Amino acid sequence: STSLHSTRDTLVVSIGPAHGDVCVHSLSAIPATEIDSTSRMPFTLELCKSRLATVGADAQLSCVLNNKLLVTVDNASHAIRLISLDSGKTDPYHTAPVTTLARTRDGSILITGSRDCTACVWPLYSTAPKRSRLAAILQRSQISRLATIPHATLTGHDAPLSAAAIDNDVDLAVTCAYDATVNIYSLSLGMFVRSFETPNRVVFDHAAITQRWSDLVFLASRSSTLCSYTVNAHLLASVHCDEQPRAMVVDEWGERVITAGVGGVVVRRVASLEQLYKLHAPRP
């Protein structure tokens, strides 16, 4: 299979697993003489002259963010790589593969977590929502496009990261690690706030922040454990999920958490994790 994605100056070519590579090409590097705009005949470009980067034979094209950032997933190591479409360079701010990423609801900020035990916060657009504290910081920094350096690097973990969540409306970033710890940070300041250990030392691989009450919701899919906390790290509720969830999302109002797994889709209250109703998966 072959897929293409083009921006104003860049072409991303993904040639499927049988042949091999995801390549990033600079269209501005192709001589204008090679393209006859008046001709209706097909033409071939020598893309080898314009190649910025080759991701590798095991890479699968995932998505392109804001026409500036290519996100790929390595089929062999299950690592996520971030590549600038301007320069073709791989994100240099993580010294190990990226293991998790999340973005804000409006898509203006991305957080990446890595095996190097750190997380990076990346502005994706020129401004964040005007009501957020981060908007003023980005405006003072005069960021007019995708940042080439992260807004903040979050430290404090002693193990690789397993999950992350970010919300610019409540000014929070949350990271989870494989040593069963959770860290909470101020998003606008990039500062560590507090840390706590998970119950029974389960490893959370999904995280979410509720917009209304700033509560935190976590899922450990391997143990089917769902937990909710206050922003002060007080455990509100913890339940075992019979549906064996593999995915989780919090609704827009921050009052309900929805999990989906082998046993169907379940809707619960965030504060108590009381089950409201269940949608059974259709049988084949």
Side-chain angles (χ1 to χ4, degrees), residues 1-4 12-23 51 56-57 59 61:
S1 60
T2 301
S3 63
L4 299 173
V12 180
V13 183
S14 175
I15 303 177
H19 300 89
D21 292 339
V22 175
C23 299
R51 183 172 299 185
L61 178 61

Side-chain angles (χ1 to χ4, degrees), residues 6 92 155 180 249:
S6 64
T155 61
V249 67

Side-chain angles (χ1 to χ4, degrees), residues 107-122:
S108 63
I109 306 170
L110 177 77
I111 185 171
T112 58
S114 171
R115 291 180 187 171
D116 63 7
C117 309
T118 68
C120 289
V121 178
W122 305 86

Side-chain angles (χ1 to χ4, degrees), residues 104-106 129 131-132 167-172 187 211:
T104 54
R105 289 180 176 86
D106 61 4
R131 65 178 180 272
S132 70
D167 194 301
N168 49 355
D169 289 321
V170 297
D171 192 34
L172 285 179
L187 177 58
Q211 189 171 9

